[in-house]
Amino acid sequence: MRRLTEHDEAEINSILSREDEILPSSGFAVSVMDAVRREAAAPPPIPFPWKRALPGLVVAGLVLAVVLVGGVVAIARLGNAAAPQLSTVSPPAMPPIFSGGIESAAVWAVLALLVTFVSVKVSMRLASGRM
């Protein structure tokens, strides 16, 4: 790396000491001000309806907790079993809805249809604005 001579320093100082006015290109200031005016005139963003979503989130959390607790209890029961059984019969402590068979499938199908119907009706009511 070479050292600066006095001539180089004088040239750099003269370049840096110039106070030339820096002007933006034509139309730049106008386009920036137009963009600022457009942003100022735009309506504020629509806030998320937390008050309407909160009940669904709470119910979903409770369902998740019940499913997790049920899974842990089922795993604990399987771990405590003395001899593993390979039968399709559910443990006696399980409600009859979990026992399998066509009755259980029908109950689950009706439950799924009912939950779907209720969720569609609630969402249509929320979308129409009638509360």
Side-chain angles (χ1 to χ4, degrees):
M1 191 166 136
R2 75 179 183 97
R3 289 194 136 316
L4 292 177
T5 62
E6 280 188 36
H7 179 355
D8 292 336
E9 286 183 21
E11 187 177 352
I12 290 174
N13 286 335
S14 68
I15 291 172
L16 293 176
S17 65
R18 289 187 204 154
E19 295 193 19
D20 295 337
E21 187 176 341
I22 300 174
L23 298 175
S25 61
S26 64
F28 176 76
V30 173
S31 67
V32 168
M33 288 309 296
D34 286 343
V36 168
R37 287 185 192 101
R38 271 194 313 271
E39 286 296 319
I46 299 172
F48 187 79
W50 286 108
K51 289 180 182 177
R52 291 183 176 179
L54 192 60
L57 292 173
V58 168
V59 169
L62 290 175
V63 167
L64 180 64
V66 167
V67 167
L68 288 175
V69 167
V72 168
V73 168
I75 290 172
R77 283 187 186 160
L78 287 176
N80 290 339
Q85 298 175 355
L86 298 175
S87 68
T88 58
V89 178
S90 63
M94 296 291 277
I97 194 170
F98 297 113
S99 64
I102 192 72
E103 299 86 14
S104 175
V107 169
W108 283 112
V110 168
L111 184 64
L113 289 172
L114 181 66
V115 168
T116 303
F117 177 75
V118 169
S119 66
V120 167
K121 283 299 187 182
V122 168
S123 65
M124 288 175 66
R125 179 168 286 222
L126 289 175
S128 70
R130 293 179 296 155
M131 264 316 264

